[in-house]
Each structure stands twice: as C-alpha cells, then as structure tokens.
Amino acid sequence: MSATAGQAVQLRADFDLIASWVQPGERVLDLGCGDGSLLKRLIEERGARGYGVELEGAEVLAAIANGINVIQGNLEQGLAGFDDQTFNHVVLSRTLQTVRHTERILSEMLRVGREAVVSFPNFAFWQNRLAVMGGRMPVSEDLPYEWFDTPNLRFFTLLDFESLCAKMNLVIRERQVLDEAGRLVTEEPNFLGSLAVYRLGR
Amino acid sequence: MITSGVGIVAAQRTSFNQPLALQGGSVLPAFDLVYETYGTLNAARSNAILVCHALSGHHHVAGCTADNPANIGWWDNIVGPGRPLDTERFFIVGVNNLGGCHGSTGPASPNPATGKPWGADFPVVTVEDWVASQARLADHLGIDAWAAVMGGSLGGMQALQWTLSFPDRIRHALVIAAAPKLSAENIAFNDVARQAILTDPDFHGGHFYEHGVRPVTGLRLARMLGHITYLSDDQMAEKFGRRLRVGAGSYGFDVEFEIESYLRYQGDKFAGVFDANTYLRMTKALDYFDPAQDFDDDLARALARARAKFLVIAFTTDWRFTPARSREIVHALVHNGQAVAYAEIDSAHGHDSFLMDEPHYHAVVDTYLKRVQL
C-alpha cells in the first residue's frame, strides 16, 4: 500500500470518529480545515452547520469550491472575533503539532466551543521509537516529512498531551487511538497507536 | 481591437416617476438612472448580478464605448466571457448611483422646481437611498431577486445594505475591500477632502454651475489626498521611491519627485471630469453608513435579518479598510450562523487591490460565483 493510500484510509478513520460525535444541527468549527473535506462530510452526512478556518490561499479556494463557509486566518493569532461558546465542537485535526502557541489554541478552542476535538500523530508510536533508536528521525504515514521540511513544530506523545491537559485542567471526555491502518488500538496505545483523537471539555 | 471582454457597450437610461423618500427626510419627486448591461437575462430572470460602484465609479463597468475604444470600463478585467463575472452565464448590471455625475440624476441635473441645476440643493443621498433606487431599477428590469450584488469599497457597502434592505431580493452578497462603517480616521480623510472643495472660491456654495466655473483646485486636492489612501506604502516605494523627474533637486516647489507628478496628474485628470457636489455626497454616504447604529452598535444583530450568502474579501495592504474591518462583518455573520466565506488576499496594491487583475483574487470570485445556482 502506498503512503498516500494508507494515509487516506487512516484519514477516513479519523473522520469517521469525529463524524460519529457530531449530532444533527450542531455547529462545528474546523481549525485548519484545508479544502473542507471533513466539514463537507459533517454537513452532508450529519446535518451539521459548519465553519472552517484555513491559512493557505490555495486551500481556501478549494474550500470555497466545496461550498464551505471558510474563513481565511492564522490560528497562531488565536480565535479573536469568534464569540464565546458559539460552537458545539471545535476540531483541530492533525494540526496541533504545527501550532506554536499550543496552550493558547487549546484554551481558545474551549472558549469558542463547548468541546474540543483534537487529533495528532503520536511520536511515541513504536515505529517512530524504532527510527530514533536506529539514529534517524521517523518518517511515516503520520509524520510524512523529512526533518528539514516538516511543518511540524511540536513532537509529543499521548502521555505528554494528557499531562498538558491535566496541567490546563482540561477534561478528557473520550480518547480513541488508531494504528497506521486506521484500526482502533486498545492495548498499549502510547506504543501501538500512531494517531490519537481526543474529545476535551472544561 | 477588443479581443476579449464584452466589446462595445452602450448606456441606457430609465426615468422613475414615483417619488423616492430619502433617508435624510427629503423626497425626490422623480429621477433618472443610467446603466449598462452585459450578457443576457435568462428566462427565469435568476442570473442577474448588480455591480455597485465606489466613490468615483459609474455605470460603465466593462467593455468600451463605440466612440472611444480606449474608454474601457472601470472593472473590465473581471467581466466578460470566461471571466469571473461570466457574461455567458450571468446578466450583469452596472448603474450610476443617484447623485452621481455620469448621467443619473445628480447635483448637475436640472431642479424641476427652478429649472436650474440642483447644485447645493441636491439632497445628500445615503447607501440606503442608493439601494432603494437600485431596487426600482431591478423592478424595471424584471429582476425579482439578484443572483448576486457585488462591489468594492463603497460598492461593497451597497452589497451589504442590499441584504438588509431587501433580504429576499439578493441571494449572494460579494463584499470586497469594505467595512461595516467608517472609522474616525476614515471620516477625517473624507472631511479634509470636503474642506478642500468647500473652501475653493470657485465652489460658490455648491452653485458654481451658474457662475460658469468649477472648483477644480479643491477637487484636485481632494482626489490627491484620496489617492494616497488608495495605495500602499510598499507600492508607492516600489513604483516611485524617491526618484526625481529631473536629475537633481532644484530647491523650489515645482514638480520634482515622481510621486508628486503622479498625484498631480491623477488630481488633474479627476478634477477635469468629476463633479464636486457629487464628490461631497459620495463621501457623506460613506461617513453615514453604519447599519449597526440602530442596534446598539451590535453588528451581529443588525445583520441578523440578512438571508443572503456572503463572500467577503479583504486585501493585506489595504489600510483604508483593513482586513480587520472585513473580519468584523465576517464574525458578525458567524455569530448569527449565517453563510459566509472570507478570503484575505496578498496584494501590494492597497485599497485599490480590488480593481486589480490579481489571479488568486479573481479565482476566489470565479470559484464562488460558479457555485451560485441559477
């Protein structure tokens, strides 16, 4: 299986989980929404009312082509302008590792939304550990970049993230962990899981 | 030779004989509007787009006139077959606003009460008044609801006002390089421009027509000032820098720097053709525009009655109406759960960016309009 195809399978698994958490008519804000694929699905399949935030012009254009309510903006500047508790879910899918102001974006998500949905690649996934043991930075389905061209700024694990949640008094309502094929991982998630998806509240 | 766009166009004129009650309290007994159309209105009359003009614009949006191939419309680059405002698909209407000086009833038109030009007696018209008059034009053209109303700057404010004055008669609003109201700084610039005109000895309190003169000095200064605010610092630096027209400074006050030459040229060109009374009124319409005013300055409440979907566009180097001003509109709409897409375009051209043929900007408009159902 090619890397792209593998990622696509897992991306669907990621989206499957998020879609299952959204109820009809709920308002969703997708941060770093890209071309709006997730929102399109949530709107079409779940009857959600969605908005997306995206920085890249080409992605904004693609989202407009998808009929998405996309707002061009930079997450690093927070969510100024979005009113408190406007959304049922605020989604940050595979993006937290690229954000510099980690704590601020998490706080902002739970300011504008009742629930934050966060997914990120697990740096402690066994294949990543193996790569580092072998002396090289990992390149994988979920960390598909070389060290010199990666947009990722933060490298962290399930345990790291949960420790930050505890420090910030964020409540973990649910956690699902996926392997590289998009299958749910129940045993040893910080070792066997390559992608984690969390539902957070206050 | 025109090889693309809409080719040769001709203006049309329609008289409206039902009185129009203006926001300022006066009533205009009758008025004419001059407009151009491009493309064909479909059988369902569902493909019409109204293009609203800004401070100095008019009805000649696209194409050229039969008498002058160089007289190209002010937004020609976005209108035509295969362009974002695709005339193969849409019926485009450009109109000269009430109070204008390009054919629609305005201060230079005869006042029916006196037979002389209205001059200073022509009422101050607002964005709301323009939209009300444009609705009369829509009635005349048999357009129940616009597929879209779009405009840049003051034109964007008209698009926004359409969604509030006639929520059921506009399906999409394209609000470009606009703001939900002017800032004190914006009003300040407008007032300096007005003062330049009002204090010109040739202004004669607005009744200069009967004196056979025009306040060109004041109008020229007003335009020069305005023009500075339409450009960006970077763009001016790149285009003119500190370059001199002649080899060295002459330690005098003639034109020396290229930027001086450019501004004076722009001022002269504008003062030669534009009406000072119209300029005063256009800037007042800008100053007064504030849809949130009647809603305790709560823009979200003010916009709640809009039923249109919105595309809001701002430009990074626009300091007259910064992207932050456009985001005010966007966030009010998001607060209400209304449909909006927002693009912030990287462009070096300041406020004037909305008139430029910038590929990404045009792609955004094109992509959005392609999804508009007819």
Side-chain angles (χ1 to χ4, degrees), chain A residues 85 103-116 164-173 199-202:
Chain A
Q85 301 296 296
E103 290 180 68
R104 184 165 80 183
I105 194 64
L106 290 171
S107 300
E108 281 282 86
M109 290 173 77
L110 284 167
R111 175 181 68 78
V112 305
R114 280 168 232 165
E115 176 175 278
L164 178 65
C165 290
K167 178 189 162 241
M168 293 179 66
N169 294 315
L170 306 182
V171 178
I172 296 171
R173 292 180 180 162
R199 306 174 74 177
L200 308 173
R202 281 280 185 199

Side-chain angles (χ1 to χ4, degrees), chain A residues 52 54 60 64 68-73, chain B residues 175 310-316 322-327 330-331 340-345 364:
Chain A
E54 176 56 48
V60 170
I64 290 173
I68 296 299
N69 291 319
V70 61
I71 294 155
Q72 191 161 14
Chain B
V175 180
F310 286 78
L311 173 64
V312 179
I313 298 177
F315 300 92
T316 49
T322 62
R325 308 305 315 280
S326 284
R327 285 197 293 265
V330 170
H331 286 299
V340 57
Y342 170 63
E344 202 167 291
I345 311 286
V364 166

